[in-house]
Amino acid sequence: MRPDAELAKFAKAILAAGCALPLPAFGATAVAAPSDAPSGGRNSQTDDIVVQGHRADPEVLVGIKAEEDLGTQDIAAYGLDTVGELLGEIAPGVIQGDDGPVVLVNGRLATGTEEISDLPTEAVSKFQVLTKDAAARLGQGPRRRVINLVIKRDHRQRTASSDYALATAGNGTSAGAALDFVEIAAGNRTTLTVRERYTAPLLEADRNIPSDVSGIPYDLIGNILPFPAFGLEIDPALSALAGSPVGVAAVPAGLANPQLSDFARGAGRPNVPDIGRYRTLVGERRSYEMNATIARSISRRTSLTFNLFGNISIGKSLIGAPGVLVALPAKSAFSPFSRDVSIARYLDVAFDQSRHASSISAKVALNTGVGKFSVAVLASYKHRNQRNETDRQTDLDALQAGIDSGAIDPFAPLPAALLRVTRRDLTRSVSNSGEAAVTVSGDAVKLPAGWANLTLHLGGSIIEQSGLSNITGSPLQRDQTRKEVYGQISFDLPVASKESGFLGALGDFRINGNAGFRSPSDTRRLTSHGYGITWQPSATINLRASVNHDETAPSLSLLADPVSVVGGVRFYDFIRAQTVQVELVTGGNPDLLPEKRRTISVGGSFQMLNHRRLTFSADYTATRTVNAVSGLPPLSVAVQAAFADRFIRDGSGRVIAVDSRAVSFAADDRQQLRWSINLVTCFGQRNLWPRRQGQHSAPVNLGRVGSDDGGGPTELAAAPATRPWRLNFNLSHTITLKAQRLARPGLPVVDLLRGGADGYGEGQPRHTVQFTLGLAGKGVGVQVNGVWRSGSDLRVGTTASPGDLHFSARCTANMRIFAEMETLAPDRTWSKGLRLTLSTDNIFNSRQAVRDSSGFTPARYQTYLLEPLGRTVKFSLRKMF
């Protein structure tokens, strides 16, 4: 038989084996993952030669394309350990949001992100991020994104990993370790991951953060002030020695029984505190996680998955030394003054805030089929417990009494007994939630252009939350329960189709729509509806448009979390252009209103090349939200007018307390245009040869490298040849066309692009550019990614005397280099399954420059307050067994 005939026969056998596999649910194309023999070596898992055995149009949901479509070699080229890391690098925006992404595993609904986040990348044959209109087809909210993971049918892996990270500026260290167990046999999957991570505390003293000097001039040694009111003369005798009226004087250091002349030398020059060792930029934190999944195929169409996830997090942050203002009577033996004075002093003790949080969740997913319809039943239970303790007060009464009686020298080190914390605020939040939902999807009606898809999604949930707080002025106990029933119906109708031949000249054209409701027990009924089109005039062009209206209730945590107060928090008053320390109130706000959002999206993509996969895409999105829930914005003239009750000032006008709990804005309008270019290509590839029972046949051209979706029982191997080099490049540019907010009716609209602020970081940049560049081959790889943001301004000052706070443009780049030691040193036993990785975040140590109109950087915007770590380097070691 001729070699090419033998090759054709061989390819047909593989294709037949792939097509014989059961179809995934939700209309997924038959996708067979490569069959891996049990092995711990990386090369045995990623170097397999795979013959494709799937349809030419690899869609998970009919009519919906994948924005990102990575095969085995694509995934391996990133050098990442887990699917969670891959998702965070490939599509970080997908994992954001209240509910996270909708997850499919082999085209079937999964229990959630926990099921796949710790799965090793070697167990995955395809990773897909679907377009924005996919969620509605699964009965989910329009804001959620959908990812699909194709997992290999047979795979066995044991992995141990560890890492250590260090900031190049010093300190700022962290370390972690993890153990993974994966067993996949004939599609049945058992996984277990345990993980620990420790982050060391980083003090302000480690970054030479200057201490704040605004407000009362506290100091560890002390400063003398008039009594009882500031701004007056301390003592006429002291003023006479100094030659001018004295309103503040430094306590001389190291002197026993200081005299009036000693204070005259420090008249008008108060001691400047250095309390960096009492405050952390990064708090100490230790966390533990356990993640277990069991997935079983009960029959050809039925599978059952169970996931159990638990974590414990323990943290501690230093929030500063307590400042006290005590009176020194003129009659005291320690006083050289002729009248009573005040002493402003920091106590030599660090107040701290400790946090202990734990949660455990159990989720079950049952996927089956009934006739032409696929059915998915998901159920979950989650318990969360969080406890915060915050130091608030020491025994000031005992300190003042000791000074009054003459038993305590106010200029000497204070007795340790007086430095004990006498008041420690406690907040505790406990929640239990359960949810169950069923999704039915399938081909309902045959139309001239093909089958119309119908999806019905029904479910219910109950959340019970209990909050405990011992802070004065807030309820000691706040219990709240939300019961909810929800449902959604979605349809997808083919109008024209090349495959069916109906209006084929138009290409593939589909329309879709959805309508749903939610009935929370603590608010009114909420509705949603949307509609859209997708049009593929040719194989390389895909266009889409959609309009969605949805209403959502604030989460129960935003409404009912216990109130907490933390003192000594740096706060920037935009009106007075002043950095101050305030008491910051956080917690739930029961007055938040449900959001009502309208989103209009128009976009498309164009693929220029097939083998090199060069793709252009663009999307325009306009979103208007009524009653938009957001954190309290910075204190400006507009914010002061809208939320005056959230800020408390003292008699001098200085802000001393801020209630930062979330608020509802009357309206929020955003418009943006995002375009991107994506290129994936391979080079340096030599011919690959099939091997069957030790026999060689003619060379096989596998087509596109990186789309290894098929596989079969025949063992394939490569002739002695080098693996191809893979190059990936992505560049995206987001242009913010409009960003406006209206706090309350009757107030002016705030333009976030022209000085308005919705956070204490930078203003709203008009341009954001993200980039990724990677090269991998021959067992080594490098990935570089980063983001550039244009400069922005925040409006400060008053209406009569305005000013600007300018944030410079900034580019932050990260780099990761990895080496597969089994490929580089194949003859060494120790190298089997070993990967070494060196990562550097912020490789150029880029800093955010913030200047006011005079060129001065406010204390709140010091470099290391904005970014405490700066450049960090992390070394990782991973060993497969």
Side-chain angles (χ1 to χ4, degrees):
M1 183 179 292
R2 292 170 52 190
D4 56 345
E6 178 67 23
L7 177 60
K9 181 179 178 181
F10 172 77
K12 290 179 180 179
I14 294 298
L15 181 61
C19 293
L21 295 174
L23 289 174
F26 299 106
T29 306
V31 177
S35 178
D36 292 338
S39 173
R42 180 174 177 84
N43 285 351
S44 62
Q45 296 164 1
T46 60
D47 289 349
D48 293 341
I49 299 174
V50 181
V51 176
Q52 300 176 6
H54 57 83
R55 296 188 312 186
D57 186 15
E59 297 175 350
V60 179
L61 300 174
V62 176
I64 293 180
K65 300 293 183 180
E67 289 185 349
E68 296 285 348
D69 195 343
L70 306 179
T72 304
Q73 293 187 22
D74 296 312
I75 296 171
Y78 283 92
L80 295 170
D81 297 344
T82 65
V83 172
E85 293 176 356
L86 184 67
L87 181 59
E89 179 151 329
I90 300 300
V94 171
I95 61 178
Q96 297 174 356
D98 297 335
D99 300 319
V102 181
V103 179
L104 305 178
V105 174
N106 295 334
R108 302 184 179 208
L109 275 173
T111 58
T113 54
E114 291 88 355
E115 180 181 334
I116 65 166
S117 60
D118 290 318
L119 196 67
T121 54
E122 291 84 1
V124 179
S125 62
K126 182 175 281 292
F127 177 93
Q128 295 176 312
V129 180
L130 305 188
T131 54
K132 296 179 180 179
D133 51 345
R137 283 278 299 276
L138 299 174
Q140 304 296 324
R143 288 188 293 168
R144 302 185 69 182
R145 299 297 302 275
V146 180
I147 62 173
N148 178 54
L149 218 63
V150 179
I151 299 177
K152 297 177 180 179
R153 286 185 55 81
D154 296 281
H155 186 82
R156 181 177 181 271
Q157 183 173 328
R158 312 289 188 273
T159 308
S161 60
S162 63
D163 66 80
Y164 179 79
L166 171 69
T168 58
N171 299 309
T173 61
S174 64
L179 295 174
D180 296 280
F181 167 88
V182 178
E183 188 80 42
I184 307 176
N188 293 322
R189 174 167 39 102
T190 302
T191 66
L192 174 64
T193 300
V194 292
R195 175 176 287 107
E196 177 185 8
R197 184 148 204 92
Y198 174 75
T199 301
L202 178 67
L203 300 174
E204 290 189 2
D206 296 328
R207 292 293 183 265
N208 296 319
I209 301 294
S211 300
D212 301 319
V213 295
S214 61
I216 300 175
Y218 296 114
D219 180 69
L220 289 168
I221 300 174
N223 289 308
I224 304 299
L225 299 171
F227 180 87
F230 303 146
L232 303 177
E233 191 176 34
I234 293 176
D235 187 339
L238 178 61
S239 298
L241 288 175
S244 60
V246 179
V248 61
V251 173
L255 291 180
N257 300 319
Q259 302 303 306
L260 196 63
S261 58
D262 298 321
F263 289 94
R265 288 193 291 268
R269 298 191 303 273
N271 289 320
V272 178
D274 182 12
I275 59 170
R277 66 182 183 273
Y278 301 101
R279 299 171 68 114
T280 50
L281 289 167
V282 178
E284 182 180 21
R285 183 172 180 266
R286 189 180 296 274
S287 62
Y288 308 89
E289 287 185 0
M290 183 277 297
N291 194 355
T293 299
I294 299 175
R296 295 292 182 266
S297 296
I298 299 175
S299 66
R300 187 180 69 86
R301 299 187 66 184
T302 305
S303 65
L304 182 66
T305 303
F306 175 76
N307 175 260
L308 182 65
F309 180 85
N311 70 340
I312 298 175
S313 176
I314 303 170
K316 179 180 178 181
S317 300
L318 303 183
I319 57 177
V324 299
L325 193 65
V326 295
L328 177 62
K331 64 181 180 180
S332 172
F334 299 106
S335 175
F337 304 103
S338 62
R339 59 173 66 172
D340 296 346
V341 298
S342 298
I343 303 177
R345 185 168 180 179
Y346 279 121
L347 301 185
D348 190 15
V349 60
F351 276 4
D352 69 67
Q353 183 180 47
S354 61
R355 177 180 181 271
H356 187 286
S358 61
S359 67
I360 186 169
S361 65
K363 299 180 180 180
V364 178
L366 174 66
N367 284 272
T368 187
V370 179
K372 293 183 179 181
F373 290 87
S374 56
V375 180
V377 180
L378 274 67
S380 65
Y381 167 78
K382 184 175 183 179
H383 171 80
R384 181 179 65 90
N385 190 328
Q386 181 170 320
R387 178 187 178 95
N388 292 339
E389 296 185 29
T390 306
D391 292 341
R392 286 289 302 281
Q393 192 173 347
T394 57
D395 193 353
L396 300 183
D397 293 338
L399 174 59
Q400 186 63 63
I403 294 174
D404 291 343
S405 66
I408 296 176
D409 181 356
F411 304 127
L414 299 177
L418 297 177
L419 302 180
R420 291 196 300 265
V421 176
T422 57
R423 177 180 173 185
R424 190 168 175 85
D425 289 346
L426 166 68
T427 62
R428 183 179 180 184
S429 175
V430 179
S431 68
N432 293 280
S433 61
E435 184 173 7
V438 58
T439 304
V440 180
S441 178
D443 295 334
V445 180
K446 182 65 180 296
L447 300 177
W451 284 93
N453 180 273
L454 182 67
T455 302
L456 181 65
H457 180 69
L458 294 172
S461 65
I462 180 171
I463 305 174
E464 296 179 343
Q465 180 161 320
S466 174
L468 172 67
S469 173
N470 68 352
I471 298 173
T472 303
S474 66
L476 291 178
Q477 186 82 27
R478 178 188 291 176
D479 299 327
Q480 191 161 340
T481 300
R482 172 182 291 174
K483 298 178 181 179
E484 187 175 45
V485 177
Y486 55 85
Q488 180 172 306
I489 185 171
S490 309
F491 65 87
D492 186 85
L493 308 178
V495 176
S497 171
K498 287 184 177 180
E499 184 176 349
S500 67
F502 184 76
L503 301 178
L506 294 177
D508 293 325
F509 188 90
R510 310 179 71 91
I511 63 174
N512 59 76
N514 64 85
F517 73 94
R518 304 188 77 92
S519 296
S521 58
D522 55 344
T523 187
R524 61 178 177 82
R525 173 172 292 191
L526 308 174
T527 61
S528 64
H529 66 277
Y531 45 90
I533 61 171
T534 60
W535 180 31
Q536 188 175 0
S538 68
T540 59
I541 299 176
N542 186 275
L543 305 174
R544 56 187 177 270
S546 64
V547 178
N548 286 287
H549 301 260
D550 63 288
E551 296 178 314
T552 57
S555 67
L556 210 58
S557 60
L558 283 174
L559 294 171
D561 270 354
V563 176
S564 175
V565 179
V566 180
V569 177
R570 287 186 180 89
F571 180 85
Y572 189 71
D573 183 348
F574 278 63
I575 297 176
R576 302 181 67 175
Q578 181 184 40
T579 299
V580 295
Q581 291 189 22
V582 302
E583 286 196 328
L584 191 70
V585 180
T586 59
N589 178 10
D591 298 326
L592 296 177
L593 302 173
E595 291 185 336
K596 186 176 182 179
R597 179 181 290 103
R598 182 199 65 200
T599 304
I600 301 174
S601 179
V602 179
S605 62
F606 173 57
Q607 183 172 322
M608 291 187 61
L609 302 173
N610 187 25
H611 174 69
R612 289 182 174 82
R613 297 191 301 186
L614 177 62
T615 305
F616 293 94
S617 62
D619 286 279
Y620 166 81
T621 304
T623 304
R624 177 175 174 80
T625 307
V626 177
N627 298 326
V629 175
S630 174
L632 184 72
L635 177 52
S636 62
V637 174
V639 173
Q640 178 81 56
F643 308 104
D645 57 329
R646 294 301 192 94
F647 307 95
I648 299 177
R649 298 180 183 269
D650 61 16
S652 66
R654 175 177 169 269
V655 179
I656 59 174
V658 177
D659 182 352
S660 67
R661 293 177 296 168
V663 295
S664 291
F665 283 82
D668 184 286
D669 285 286
R670 310 268 176 157
Q671 295 180 19
Q672 71 174 33
L673 175 65
R674 181 181 183 273
W675 65 268
S676 65
I677 178 173
N678 189 75
L679 172 66
V680 177
T681 185
C682 296
F683 55 92
Q685 182 180 11
R686 294 165 62 180
N687 287 334
L688 303 176
W689 297 71
R691 179 185 299 166
R692 187 174 184 178
Q693 297 179 353
Q695 301 297 321
H696 292 281
S697 62
V700 178
N701 186 352
L702 297 182
R704 279 196 321 176
V705 176
S707 298
D708 340 14
D709 302 324
T714 303
E715 180 185 0
L716 300 177
T722 59
R723 293 177 60 188
W725 288 92
R726 179 189 184 273
L727 174 71
N728 66 279
F729 172 73
N730 178 271
L731 178 71
S732 67
H733 179 198
T734 301
I735 307 171
T736 301
L737 304 173
K738 182 180 182 180
Q740 295 181 347
R741 270 186 171 176
L742 174 64
R744 291 179 180 175
L747 295 177
V749 174
V750 176
D751 191 338
L752 303 179
L753 289 171
R754 291 177 172 83
D758 58 358
Y760 283 91
E762 61 187 346
Q764 173 64 61
R766 185 174 293 275
H767 301 276
T768 301
V769 177
Q770 294 176 291
F771 59 90
T772 301
L773 177 63
L775 179 65
K778 297 184 179 180
V780 296
V782 58
Q783 289 284 333
V784 179
N785 63 75
V787 59
W788 175 86
R789 292 183 175 88
S790 60
S792 60
D793 295 287
L794 296 181
R795 185 59 49 86
V796 299
T798 63
T799 304
S801 180
D804 286 323
L805 195 63
H806 178 69
F807 293 77
S808 64
R810 185 187 181 204
C811 180
T812 304
N814 313 307
M815 180 172 64
R816 185 178 67 256
I817 302 173
F818 64 92
E820 306 290 353
M821 301 309 297
E822 184 174 359
T823 302
L824 298 178
D827 299 329
R828 304 292 183 178
T829 303
W830 56 264
S831 70
K832 185 175 180 62
L834 177 64
R835 176 194 292 156
L836 304 179
T837 304
L838 180 65
S839 305
T840 304
D841 289 345
N842 194 2
I843 56 179
F844 301 117
N845 202 21
S846 172
R847 313 286 185 88
Q848 179 71 74
V850 185
R851 301 284 189 272
D852 61 17
S853 55
S854 64
F856 177 74
T857 298
R860 170 64 177 79
Y861 291 99
Q862 297 174 66
T863 298
Y864 283 115
L865 288 180
L866 297 178
E867 189 174 352
L869 294 177
R871 182 197 297 115
T872 59
V873 177
K874 182 170 72 173
F875 178 76
S876 306
L877 182 149
R878 182 174 186 255
K879 174 73 173 177
M880 291 190 295
F881 301 94

